[in-house]
Amino acid sequence: MSEIATTDRLDAPAALARVKDEIAAACRDARRDPASVTLIAVSKTFPSEAIEPVLAAGQRVFGENRVQEAKAKWPALKASCPDVELHLIGPLQSNKAKEAVALFDAIHAVDRSSLAEALAKEIVRQDRHPMLFAEINTGAEPQKAGVLPEAADAFLRACREAYGLRIDGLMCIPPLDEAPAPHFALTAKIAKRNGLALLSMGMSADFKTAIAFGATHVRVGSAIFGTRG
Ligand SMILES: *Cc1c(COP(=O)(O)O)cnc(C)c1O
């Protein structure tokens, strides 16, 4: 074992505690109940050895962005820690809907009809009901996944009426080079008018702002696990 790995193992639980303190402070500032914000520890790219100390520190909700990577890492980790809640935060191909429904407790990037249809089928077939978030491309960035804000209401209606799919909330990833607040506000507004209770928004750099705008799920990776290699 290298010295660097040893240091990382000691650091992640301390970083986790700091992030939790900052979430609590942001909730106080926003006059929100800290229990209304779920911290998703984003462990993508980090090996099981880096995740174990964070599990040992009591963290139970984790995020991964690739189905294959999660399949390789999490069955063993879950065997020793069955109450883990696993969130898929990255894009999902329709042909991986079956694996995603089997493995994940939440899916954050539902953004097109073909995927909604594939998920609806698997949810019925497997009788497993992961929490579902529709991703909104609030910055209308051409390279980014997500439904355009002006198409969101129709997409949510189609999920419900055409596929019988219950969407629980919305997710967004603001453009890197812009202030995130307007994007969080827009996502919250679309959720509110569609009667959706959950908001997946805020990452290491902006989770405090996201909490001020009503985030119920913050996705925090590097602030807990360190910089991704
Ligand atoms: C990687 C990732 C995160 C975590 O990002 P950090 O800046 O490391 O906190 C959050 N959300 C999504 C969708 C991601 O892909």
Side-chain angles (χ1 to χ4, degrees), residues 4-229:
I4 288 170
T6 308
T7 307
D8 280 349
R9 284 181 186 205
L10 296 175
D11 277 352
L16 173 71
R18 271 197 303 278
V19 167
K20 290 207 276 200
D21 284 347
E22 289 178 17
I23 289 172
C27 286
R28 268 196 305 279
D29 290 347
R31 301 181 187 285
R32 294 186 54 197
D33 178 358
S36 68
V37 178
T38 299
L39 168 61
I40 303 168
V42 177
S43 50
K44 67 185 186 195
T45 78
F46 288 95
S48 301
E49 301 77 59
I51 298 170
E52 279 158 1
V54 177
L55 275 168
Q59 177 66 22
R60 287 296 176 269
V61 185
F62 289 84
E64 291 283 344
N65 70 334
R66 289 171 188 273
V67 174
Q68 294 313 315
E69 183 183 343
K71 260 181 83 175
K73 284 173 5 190
W74 281 97
L77 290 166
K78 270 188 148 177
S80 58
C81 209
D83 57 340
V84 157
E85 185 179 300
L86 200 55
H87 290 236
L88 178 64
I89 60 170
L92 176 61
Q93 293 171 279
S94 300
N95 63 12
K96 295 216 175 96
K98 179 179 173 181
E99 290 172 294
V101 169
L103 183 62
F104 290 96
D105 303 293
I107 295 172
H108 286 243
V110 183
D111 67 350
R112 56 198 190 281
S113 296
S114 55
L115 177 59
E117 185 175 10
L119 286 171
K121 265 193 203 138
E122 283 305 322
I123 285 168
V124 170
R125 213 178 58 82
Q126 299 183 35
D127 194 21
R128 262 187 61 85
H129 297 266
M131 237 179 286
L132 299 177
F133 295 84
E135 180 173 354
I136 308 297
N137 184 358
T138 55
E141 295 173 280
Q143 83 287 3
K144 203 172 260 178
V147 182
L148 291 173
E150 60 269 26
D153 296 356
F155 177 69
L156 293 165
R157 195 175 326 112
C159 285
R160 199 167 55 237
E161 292 174 4
Y163 310 117
L165 195 65
R166 195 198 64 219
I167 301 287
D168 303 287
L170 300 182
M171 178 268 220
C172 76
I173 309 172
L176 267 178
D177 54 351
E178 289 181 27
H183 298 274
F184 296 151
L186 175 59
T187 305
K189 185 175 147 193
I190 297 170
K192 189 169 183 209
R193 72 169 178 247
N194 284 281
L196 302 179
L198 304 183
L199 285 170
S200 166
M201 48 191 209
M203 307 179 17
S204 290
D206 55 18
F207 66 86
K208 285 168 268 184
T209 305
I211 288 170
F213 283 89
T216 61
H217 291 73
V218 294
R219 312 178 307 266
V220 180
S222 47
I224 296 170
F225 291 99
T227 315
R228 286 179 292 274

